Amino acid sequence: MAAPALALVGADRAAELTAASHRWPSLVLAPDQLADLELLLLGAFGPVPGYPEDTLRDGLRVPGLVVPARAAAGLGRGDPVALRDPDGVLLAALSLRAVLPQERAAARRAGEPVVRLAGTLAGLRLPDHPDHRELRLRPDQLRAELRRRGWHTPPLPWAVWADGLLHTADVARIRALSRQGRRCVVLAPVGGADPTDPRHHLRVRALRAALDALREPLRPAEATLAHPAIAAEATRPAHPPGLAEPGGQPPAGEPGPLLVLVPVVPSPELAAPREPGFTATPLRGGLAAGQAEEPGSADRLAELISLRAHLAEFYGLGGSLTGPALGTPGRAELAAFLAAGRSVPAELTPPPVAAELASAYPPRVARGFTVLFSGPPDAGTSRLARLLTCRLLERGRRHVTLLDRDTARAYLGGEPDPARADQALATRVGFVAAEVSAAGGIAVCAPDVTQTAAARARALVERTGAGFVHVRVTTAPAGQGQAGAQQRPGAPAGPAGGAEPAAGPGGAELTVDITALCADEAVAAVLAHLRCAGWLAPT
């Protein structure tokens, strides 16, 4: 099948649209919308790109453009709309055909109603990606690379989708495919990724390290995973095997699997290990055996797998393997090893991948973290934060930043709307705390925030890989509050306790009742929790 052509207008038409667009309403697309637009302009859903009125076509979910209802106010059929990236660059002109209401519960963004726009697109340019350009092959470029490698004749390479990382079982599955005469192209969905996000670059490095591991001799820990029975999970050979050497390695001089970053938003459903596990989906195929048993998710999984299979064919590949292999570790399992400073076993993850993860996520005792105090106005949270900062500085060896109410308002305030001032301040405090913690320091915060704002601060900190401990201070009368300090149920018993359990009442890891404890005792309880959870070394 010939490679599809880019659905972009010529230079003269692009100049004409650019000049006219200054008079049009504009929409700035979110990262996931930019990924959808790129797929449309690449021609993944037909030579004439556009947002359809019916986004489901024969089981294939076509991208839709959902925007706040206020942004579409006054728009009607035939109106032109400029679609821009966050820098204001015009990417495409939308000729509007319909504004469709969204009736489902998910039809709200950031608490406001939304609508879906349908219409045809005139593309001017693809979204720009400053990161890993050598891995971002368009379909025509990938097909050219396959021809250069001699992989363009049947059996065509298979797409191995990596919505997360590739672990030992995934590498074993690729080896098994290689033994059966199948070459592989690893397609990594990176749609919506922030090129300045360290986690994005860590993932790409880890994927490269996993493919490098394919060149290494077969490890004993991998031998059972690479047994030919695993290959049956993927496919049956289209011809007698012979392309691979014993152990599933490519023959000398044969290029190994190719890594390609594709503008598809990663799917948590396809990244997390599941039982009974995902299996190969031939092109035009449906769910593999066992997948439809997942209550409430069969339709969603069917759409995801159908999209992956469609895109694999679009990129010139002969089949689509979606989801992690049986035996891959979950995030909590990996987090337990990393938090305790233990090596991730080769049975779970190839050593080069484990080394990348260990470098990015050191043991908890060497990792930065944030402590956030919250409570009623008379709880004295700022006093406790200052006292905890003093105790941490007495220990030495760590940089400690205090962000109490006065400090935060003096240096991080500035919200003109009083109704939004506290939430905006909490977001700023969370951002600064996240930066301090990501650099290995300790942030102690007491900005008088609401529960919702505390959750927002937690998300900002934890997305960097740093720790977050929420201390809820209560002033309940004696007999009605907490008896001293209480950890939430399921709090870790020691440094090797694994991933932090879900937050307890009020989203807090620890609750202290200052009617039962003096300030020194309350801070001592916080320090004890930090040592117990592994964030501080025992003294």
Side-chain angles (χ1 to χ4, degrees):
M1 185 175 66
L6 284 177
L8 300 180
V9 300
D12 292 342
R13 179 59 175 158
E16 179 184 339
L17 291 172
T18 300
S21 68
H22 297 297
R23 302 186 299 273
W24 302 344
S26 292
L27 292 174
V28 176
L29 301 184
D32 57 332
Q33 294 172 331
L34 288 171
D36 289 342
L37 176 64
E38 185 167 358
L39 286 175
L40 289 168
L41 297 183
L42 285 172
F45 301 97
V48 180
Y51 296 102
E53 296 186 30
D54 184 2
T55 59
L56 191 62
R57 298 175 179 172
D58 299 325
L60 182 66
R61 180 68 64 180
V62 181
L65 180 58
V66 177
V67 301
R70 56 178 172 78
L75 293 179
R77 184 180 182 88
D79 287 343
V81 181
L83 303 184
R84 303 182 184 275
D85 69 9
D87 293 324
V89 176
L90 179 64
L91 301 177
L94 172 65
S95 179
L96 197 60
R97 188 165 59 244
V99 178
L100 306 169
Q102 296 290 88
E103 298 178 353
R104 294 178 296 179
R108 300 181 72 85
R109 275 193 178 182
E112 61 178 319
V114 296
V115 295
R116 184 164 54 83
L117 305 183
T120 57
L121 287 167
L124 281 73
R125 56 183 61 84
L126 297 177
D128 180 54
H129 302 290
D131 59 311
H132 305 291
R133 295 184 190 273
E134 74 282 4
L135 299 179
R136 293 181 177 272
L137 301 182
R138 301 192 306 265
D140 58 321
Q141 295 170 330
L142 176 57
R143 290 167 186 259
E145 175 63 19
L146 297 181
R147 287 192 298 272
R148 189 187 69 80
R149 292 181 173 218
W151 291 9
H152 60 294
T153 57
L156 295 174
W158 269 53
V160 177
W161 289 91
D163 284 70
L165 301 181
L166 292 175
H167 296 286
T168 299
D170 301 301
V171 171
R173 186 165 60 177
I174 293 175
R175 288 187 192 270
L177 284 167
S178 179
R179 268 202 319 275
Q180 294 212 351
R182 293 284 185 182
R183 299 164 171 122
C184 294
V185 175
V186 175
L187 298 182
V190 293
D194 181 353
T196 65
D197 185 352
R199 297 173 303 167
H200 164 60
H201 293 273
L202 169 63
R203 179 174 167 230
V204 175
R205 291 197 306 272
L207 289 172
R208 281 177 149 163
L211 295 187
D212 288 343
L214 284 165
R215 287 291 183 183
E216 299 295 326
L218 189 68
R219 295 176 177 273
E222 191 186 336
T224 54
L225 293 172
H227 188 274
I230 293 281
E233 178 191 309
T235 183
R236 295 185 178 183
H239 60 85
L243 291 176
E245 294 177 341
Q249 290 178 278
E254 169 79 8
L258 186 63
L259 175 62
V260 179
L261 308 185
V262 294
V264 180
V265 177
S267 164
E269 294 95 327
L270 296 180
R274 304 175 73 91
E275 293 296 341
F278 283 70
T279 58
T281 305
L283 294 180
R284 312 294 186 193
L287 282 171
Q291 290 176 352
E293 302 301 320
E294 193 84 5
S297 64
D299 291 345
R300 166 70 175 166
L301 294 180
E303 289 180 9
L304 288 171
I305 293 175
S306 178
L307 175 61
R308 297 297 193 268
H310 171 80
L311 292 175
E313 182 181 28
F314 175 66
Y315 272 83
L317 305 175
S320 181
L321 191 65
T322 55
L326 294 173
T328 56
R331 293 184 62 180
E333 189 174 5
L334 290 174
F337 284 105
L338 297 171
R342 297 163 54 195
S343 298
V344 180
E347 292 88 343
L348 298 180
T349 296
V353 178
E356 289 285 354
L357 296 175
S359 175
Y361 299 105
R364 274 189 176 181
V365 72
R367 205 180 297 180
F369 63 89
T370 292
V371 179
L372 184 142
F373 289 90
S374 70
D378 60 342
T381 55
S382 288
R383 180 188 178 195
L384 295 179
R386 289 193 297 271
L387 186 55
L388 176 62
T389 299
C390 179
R391 295 290 177 265
L392 291 171
L393 289 171
E394 287 174 350
R395 294 171 59 95
R397 301 185 300 276
R398 302 288 288 274
H399 178 82
V400 185
T401 297
L402 174 63
L403 294 168
D404 62 2
R405 180 187 59 232
D406 294 337
T407 302
R409 288 180 177 172
Y411 296 102
L412 302 177
E415 172 60 48
D417 183 359
R420 301 177 56 189
D422 288 342
Q423 286 192 356
L425 184 64
T427 299
R428 296 187 183 103
V429 167
F431 175 78
V432 174
E435 293 300 302
V436 170
S437 302
I442 302 172
V444 181
C445 309
D448 286 351
V449 299
T450 63
Q451 191 59 44
T452 300
R456 186 181 299 111
R458 177 190 295 276
L460 288 169
V461 172
E462 290 185 340
R463 71 188 298 271
T464 70
F468 189 91
V469 176
H470 182 183
V471 180
R472 182 168 172 263
V473 184
T474 67
T475 57
Q480 297 181 23
Q482 305 287 335
Q486 292 189 2
Q487 291 190 18
R488 60 181 184 192
E500 191 79 8
E509 279 75 13
L510 183 68
T511 298
V512 294
D513 176 11
I514 60 169
T515 65
L517 297 174
C518 68
D520 281 312
E521 291 171 331
V523 168
V526 175
L527 289 168
H529 174 86
L530 294 173
R531 288 191 295 269
C532 177
W535 297 114
L536 292 178
T539 53

